[in-house]
Amino acid sequence: MTAVLETPPTVVQSPSAARRARRQNRLAWIGRHSIAIALAVMFLTPVVYLVLISLMTSEQALTSDYWPNSWHPENYVRVFEVTPLPRYLLNTMLYALTATAFMLLSSVPAAYALAKLRFRGRNLLFLVIICVMMLPPQVVTVPLYLMWARNGLTGSLWPLVIPTLFGDAFAIFLLRQFLLTIPQEYLDAAKVDGCGEWRTLIRVVLPMARPGIAAAGLFQFFYCWNDYYGPLLYTSENEQAWTLSLGLASFHSVHHVDWNLVIAATVLTMAPIIVVFFFAQRAFVQGVTLTGVKG
Amino acid sequence: MSARPLAIRIRRHATTLSFLAPALIGIVVFFGYPLVSAVYFSFTKFDLLSTPQWVGLANYRRMADDPFLLQSVRNTLWMVAVFVPVRIVSAIGLAVLLTQLKRGAGFFRTIFFLPSLAPPVAATIAFVYLLKPGTGPVNTALAHLGIDGPLWFSSPEWAKPSLVLLGLWGIGDLMVIFLAGVLGVPTSLYEAAALDGANAWHRFRYVTLPTIRPVILFAAVTGVIYTLQYFDQAAVAGSIASGQATTGGGISQSFGFPEGSTFTYPLWLYTVGFRYHALGYANALAVALFAVAFAVTVILLRRAKAFSGEETS
């Protein structure tokens, strides 16, 4: 990592000038870190504050107190008593996990073809895939809704899961950029050993592209976990199929005095995703940046 | 091509096709078909139950004098004009700051990145609560400083700026992308600039910014598209600030609260299509949205081409 603000090395420096430069550097260092710490506090404040509210009584949660008068961790238990949170959680897990698995099954081979196979129309196909990313979901909402309604699949999460079997533009794009970085020699060596394209992909490419695949998978997982528009569209009429994001939004209306419970439910929704990120952080950040950022 | 035996060529094509088949089917079924049928339905009168009736350009003419449409377009344009640039500038600022830290860059990166993982619904609930006008902690803190805090999500003037604040909290994903861009700037360029006596601002302005232009283009295109589709946060903020259910029948009553100030184009599209079941008109709105997104994207890509290489290499 280079520090852009470091004073440039000059050819000759008198001792006092060197001292001055060092002092300036130290001041700049303190200034930068102060800004970073101030920003970090601002970013963290909402999170910390939410956790504090979730531990208050519902009366105190209505005030603007910062600190709980008495601690009520049992709020988290009560959330489970007043809403079918486990079912929402199960639906969300099923949706996110199946969609991620399906997406990888369909997108990795396509990305490999775009990155490493030569065929006519490859660039055109790549452009079309970029175009798919540009298409707002609202544009395809009505025809797709009708298609699923005709097949009797509305009121469930299937309309959100099935399409992932057929590739995801964003993931294909990300994976393609990643697979481009794998040296051709490895693939050629596999060919010499008598591997076909599929075997090369499974034996050679998959192990090497693990960070990229993890990143694409996590993006999909986070997207599904947070998706509100999709479940709202397809499962509104059937509460059995609701996900956490829907449950959370309606939860507020049903129990809208109990802010402490609302917030506890919110914290519960965010917790799993932070755990997932914690364990997948390195692969994920490497995947996003395509270069591997050294923190 | 070469004089290779036909059988081998066919086999190679079959292999390539086996890799691409799912994606090709996906493009046709989930992109081509919906786009074509959306265009078709936009010329019809259709309510999901009866058969569509051809009405020609009636739906598009109806747009001309639709007060709700005008309001939603205004709100969405405001979001595009303010939210997109603010988001990009802030993300670049955070990314540059991170590259300047010698200690704890990883720690700060995680802190800035994590909020972008918060579910939009949860984040929106949190912000509406934190910014509650009467008793909310933010306004209480401001009052301690002798500042009379705004009404935030409950006032037409402040509701959209509140949404921008909410969006800035979740800026981490964009920040990480810019971080990659800034770290990818060759050190030699900075050294050359330093020898020319450039100060820190010059180096940022004449070395960093031009180098990451493709990334800025990417952020502008995806930012505009994202803002044109802005739905979740606006829907939830309006309903919670007005104290109503977000799902079920009451959805359209709370949309846009207060006084229609958060009523974005996708909210109107959703209301027309899935509350009024006026699907012909909803499709005309959808086609118009796609046309605008496509035009803006093409303009941005064209302008970028004039400067430098494309984002996609």
Side-chain angles (χ1 to χ4, degrees), chain A residues 4-5 43 53 61 64 146 228, chain B residues 18 48 129 135 169 200 203 246:
Chain A
V4 185
L5 294 180
F43 270 78
I53 293 165
S64 57
L146 293 177
Y228 176 70
Chain B
S18 71
L48 264 181
Y129 185 82
T135 54
W169 189 55
R203 269 173 278 164
T246 329

Side-chain angles (χ1 to χ4, degrees), chain A residues 253-274:
Chain A
S253 64
V254 185
H255 316 267
H256 80 104
V257 264
D258 296 333
W259 272 107
N260 54 343
L261 294 196
V262 176
I263 306 280
T266 305
V267 172
L268 283 173
T269 307
M270 286 166 73
I273 237 184
I274 289 172

Side-chain angles (χ1 to χ4, degrees), chain B residues 6 9 38-39 53 56 66 81 88 111 123 126 131 134 155 162 213 233 240 252 268-269 277 291 312:
Chain B
L6 189 68
R9 284 231 307 266
V39 172
Q53 293 169 337
D66 174 348
I88 292 175
I111 300 270
L131 299 172
S155 80
S162 305
R213 194 174 273 135
Q233 292 91 335
I240 290 191
S252 49
W268 178 228
L269 179 64
H277 298 298
T312 61

